Amino acid sequence: MTPALLALADLDRGPGAALLAATARVGFSEPVARAGLLAELDAWRAPGALDAVLAELPADLPAAARPDTVLVIAARTLPASTLRAVLMARLLGARVLLKTASGQDDVAAAIAAADPAVTPRPFASTDLIGRDAALADADAVVVLGGDSTVADVRANAPAAAAFLGYGHRVSAAWVDHPDDAVAAGLAADLLAWDQAGCLAPQLVWCAGDPVDLAARVAAAVHALEPALPMDLPPGAARARHTAATLATMRGGHVFGTATARVATLPDPAFRASPGHRFLWVLPADEDALRASLPVLSTLAGDAPAAVPLPGHVRRCAPGAMQRPPLTWRHDGLPNLLPMLRLDAPR
Amino acid sequence: MTAPLPEPRERLLADLLAFVAAPDPGTFDALAARVVAYQARALPEYGRLAALAPPTGWRDAPLVPTDLFRDLDLCSLPGAAATFRTSGTTGVGRRGARRVPDLRLYDAAMRAPFVAHVLGGDPRPRPWLSLIPTARELPDSSLSHMVSGLAPELATTLTTAMSVEGGLDLDAALRALAGDAPLVLLTTGFALVALLDALPAAASAPPGSRLMLTGGFKGRSRELSEPEVLDLVAARLGVPPARVVPEYGMTELTSQAYGRPLAPNPGLRFRVVDPVTLDDLPAGADGLVACFDLLNLDNVSAILTGDLGRLDERGRLTLHGRAPDAVRRGCSLTAEEILERLR
């Protein structure tokens, strides 16, 4: 279906190697970048995955409904998300104009090197003329970015263009029965992409003993991190110290590893992680989960969810948070339908 | 059951007030050790932190990041004679707050260093032009509290030409500048830029005037380096650089520092630490600024700021701005974005 892009799966030569190098330059160790990219490319190559996505399309879809050119604006996102957005547009047969985030121009170049139907279309976020020119060249627009970016692009996209915007969210986990298997999965979720991205766990609500689970996760991280190294950016140290100090002062426990911190708090209210491998473990509380649903992307868990989840919240097992299947409806939205040129109102 | 305090608060307070009245650097370390021991018992949150690595003095007292004043009520006594809040210029979202149940140390400690530095050692009253809103208008500003508290004794007249509601009152400022007696001009960086931008070419301060300048210029209508500011002040107000006195204070501290480089008040010590390890850095090395304020008795004394700076051999500080945060990679929300959405 998309043989050109699938060539990226070979990360040791050709455009795949360039993609790996470009991803590492974003700020990841080579093993973390490799693991993250392979997780995404594995989702593409899962048996029947591409056909399952295409099943979203009506059988009688007129050819004219497919966009000729899709502008993908990956304003602030991981290379894996950029790849997926490009793949979806290519599944519709569209040419892709790709604008990546600042510092990720090489990612766009590597993708374009794999597939001649993809053209990098860089413009600075302050270059409104460049943005509008790119918008004018597309009949469908896909944006991954902050709320203001998505709203801004939507407001300036041509009225006739199809529009698909993905805002920023966060993810969490809910654990009813903490054990080593659950802890290992959460450790993998934490280390994937160094906890960057909207699928990374910010916190875990634990129905058992949060301190016990935190200790288990830290032990699992300790076992995994030699293969997935991370250098803490100097600018991240103060935020990490602040979060760890808060945990201690509130009566929580902080478990440290070479690259990560896993900390408990007695208060179950949603608390954002400072990132760079800092995981909160909080006592389970249905009200706290319910209050956080508007910002949740994914909720991992080892049992059925404690409260009904809205459609935009993905449910998965610990260990699968950063490995969404290709059929995952990002933000609850269909993958292909919003890019079609249908008469439905935007 | 709460552990007993190592000594009565009133005894420690009395000794600290005596230190303020007659500062003896030789007693600082012993007083600091008593303050740390007191705070570790009086404030359970700090006690938990201190329990991880029991401190022996001010240099190894566990540091509390200023950001935590947004999350925790770091005060060991009930009540509030004042609650000072951060201005919000160094971050988005919630403002940090320090509840101060007893202002005696604060009020006793601010006069002598102010006279020594801002007034050049001459305590005789003179007219003041303040571009800092009054404590009546901004009761949660420690800076406003300081100015309003010192003026009755040290100012012949106090002209406040900046308010939250009305902004710069240029007419009032011009009237104060038109006087004959040397003026004391008190201002933030932001307000100073507003004044300089609005000032007619002919206006200047009377000869012998002095200027206290606090706060930075980042994120305002325009950003100026310190040399640019000094040049502008000399050219537009006629106040030479030697009479422009930087002040460094913060909501989380009782004491201030003055001068260029910043000399801490007797109750204050600076450290500069490695941002990752929090280990002390030698004089001349750049790092994160940490403070130990002996007079923060009812709060916490060991504070980790978000400022970058460098110490000289005498413990004086030169600031280099704010420490940058790490750029978040990927599409997850920041903490402040999450709070905003859940609000």
Side-chain angles (χ1 to χ4, degrees):
Chain A
M1 178 55 67
T2 55
L5 278 179
L6 281 173
L8 290 166
D10 184 351
L11 297 178
D12 292 316
R13 54 186 62 81
L19 176 64
L20 176 61
T23 301
R25 280 195 291 275
V26 172
F28 301 101
S29 68
E30 195 267 359
V32 167
R34 179 182 290 273
L37 291 171
L38 283 178
E40 174 60 17
L41 294 162
D42 285 349
W44 298 13
R45 293 181 295 179
L50 297 176
D51 289 340
V53 173
L54 288 167
E56 193 181 282
L57 298 175
D60 57 350
L61 182 72
R66 295 173 183 259
D68 291 326
T69 303
V70 175
L71 171 64
V72 173
I73 300 177
R76 194 181 86 188
T77 194
L78 293 172
S81 298
T82 305
L83 280 171
R84 184 164 295 201
V86 171
L87 172 72
M88 294 301 172
R90 293 293 295 125
L91 285 177
L92 289 174
R95 293 189 312 119
V96 174
L97 305 177
L98 178 56
K99 184 261 186 285
T100 47
S102 169
Q104 295 192 26
D105 288 349
D106 292 347
V107 171
I111 296 172
D115 186 344
V118 179
T119 305
R121 187 67 180 258
F123 54 86
S125 59
T126 53
D127 177 11
L128 302 185
I129 294 174
R131 179 201 65 189
D132 290 346
L135 288 170
D137 287 345
D139 45 14
V141 179
V142 179
V143 185
L144 302 102
D147 288 351
S148 61
T149 301
V150 171
D152 192 48
V153 175
R154 180 191 287 269
N156 288 282
F163 184 87
L164 181 53
Y166 298 110
H168 290 167
R169 293 181 186 275
V170 291
S171 292
W174 179 289
V175 172
D176 279 332
H177 308 290
D179 59 25
D180 287 340
V182 167
L186 293 172
D189 291 329
L190 178 66
L191 268 53
W193 294 116
D194 295 341
Q195 204 187 9
C198 59
L199 301 179
Q202 305 280 306
L203 63 85
V204 183
W205 283 291
C206 178
D209 178 3
V211 178
D212 174 65
L213 178 60
R216 289 173 189 263
V217 173
V221 168
H222 178 72
L224 279 177
E225 63 192 354
L228 294 169
M230 180 194 78
D231 290 327
L232 185 69
R238 189 166 56 93
R240 170 180 281 198
H241 174 71
T242 299
T245 304
L246 175 70
T248 300
M249 295 182 79
R250 281 230 169 126
H253 290 72
V254 181
F255 297 91
T257 75
T259 69
R261 297 290 182 274
V262 185
T264 66
L265 281 176
D267 177 1
F270 190 100
R271 177 167 287 275
S273 160
H276 299 96
R277 302 187 176 184
F278 191 110
L279 184 67
W280 293 113
V281 182
L282 312 180
D285 183 276
E286 292 183 8
D287 288 339
L289 169 58
R290 204 173 282 115
S292 70
L293 291 176
V295 298
L296 275 191
S297 169
T298 291
L299 181 72
D302 61 343
V307 302
L309 300 180
H312 69 263
V313 178
R314 168 178 159 248
R315 184 81 174 144
C316 72
M321 294 181 75
Q322 299 263 31
R323 309 175 68 91
L326 204 58
T327 49
W328 168 48
R329 292 187 163 212
H330 191 169
D331 290 357
L333 299 171
N335 284 298
L336 304 179
L337 292 177
M339 287 187 279
L340 300 180
R341 290 184 292 193
L342 302 175
D343 290 330
R346 281 176 32 210
Chain B
M1 196 174 77
T2 306
L5 296 173
E7 62 180 308
R9 173 184 178 275
E10 290 305 317
R11 187 165 75 200
L12 193 45
L13 174 65
D15 288 350
L16 291 172
L17 286 167
F19 175 87
V20 168
D24 176 2
T27 63
F28 185 95
D29 287 358
L31 272 172
R34 290 169 59 194
V35 167
V36 171
Y38 173 83
Q39 290 172 344
R41 289 290 179 84
L43 193 61
E45 291 89 346
Y46 194 63
R48 295 185 190 111
L49 197 59
L52 294 180
T56 57
W58 67 272
R59 281 201 171 277
D60 61 356
L63 294 167
V64 176
T66 51
D67 286 348
L68 290 187
F69 282 80
R70 294 187 296 185
D71 289 284
L72 300 170
D73 177 25
L74 293 170
C75 183
S76 56
L77 289 182
T83 299
F84 296 133
R85 299 181 198 282
T86 56
S87 62
T89 55
T90 54
V92 294
R94 294 163 298 152
R95 297 164 67 192
R98 179 165 76 104
R99 191 163 56 79
V100 184
D102 181 347
L103 284 164
R104 278 180 287 175
L105 280 169
Y106 198 105
D107 292 344
M110 62 188 180
R111 182 186 181 280
F114 181 89
V115 170
H117 294 278
V118 178
L119 304 185
D122 179 358
R124 284 177 298 178
R126 64 198 89 170
W128 286 13
L129 168 59
S130 173
L131 301 184
I132 295 160
T134 64
R136 179 185 293 268
E137 189 183 18
L138 274 185
D140 60 0
S141 162
S142 56
L143 183 63
S144 295
H145 175 85
M146 183 176 83
V147 173
S148 296
L150 292 170
E153 181 193 351
L154 297 171
T156 53
T157 58
L158 170 61
T159 302
T160 300
M162 178 67 73
S163 68
V164 176
E165 288 296 318
L168 175 69
D169 183 345
L170 182 61
D171 289 340
L174 289 173
R175 282 195 299 274
L177 290 168
D180 296 326
L183 197 63
V184 176
L185 211 165
L186 309 167
T187 182
T188 63
F190 158 67
L192 179 62
V193 170
L195 176 67
L196 293 173
D197 285 346
L199 212 55
S204 67
S209 295
R210 301 177 67 86
L211 187 149
M212 184 193 86
L213 176 61
T214 189
F217 299 87
K218 297 276 185 190
R220 296 303 186 179
S221 56
R222 57 194 178 109
E223 296 184 0
L224 297 170
S225 67
E226 188 182 30
E228 288 174 322
V229 172
L230 294 175
D231 285 349
L232 272 173
V233 168
R236 304 297 309 281
L237 288 170
V239 180
R243 292 178 184 271
V244 176
V245 181
E247 188 258 8
Y248 180 67
M250 61 178 70
T251 299
E252 297 83 357
L253 297 179
T254 300
S255 302
Q256 302 83 30
Y258 293 98
R260 195 180 304 109
L262 291 158
N265 286 4
L268 185 65
R269 293 286 187 277
F270 289 128
R271 296 168 59 198
V272 167
V273 300
D274 181 283
V276 176
T277 66
L278 302 185
D279 291 337
D280 280 286
L281 294 173
D286 291 331
L288 271 181
V289 176
C291 305
F292 186 90
D293 191 343
L294 198 58
L295 309 185
N296 265 20
L297 177 63
D298 299 321
N299 304 106
V300 289
S301 288
I303 303 285
L304 180 66
T305 78
D307 293 324
L308 290 174
R310 174 191 306 167
L311 288 181
D312 66 13
E313 297 290 349
R314 294 167 56 188
R316 297 177 303 178
L317 178 69
T318 299
L319 289 172
H320 298 303
R322 298 284 299 172
D325 292 327
V327 176
R328 287 180 75 94
R329 301 158 295 178
C331 51
S332 63
L333 295 163
T334 66
E336 297 302 345
E337 288 169 333
I338 291 169
L339 287 171
E340 185 62 34
R341 283 219 207 160
L342 292 180
R343 196 167 285 151

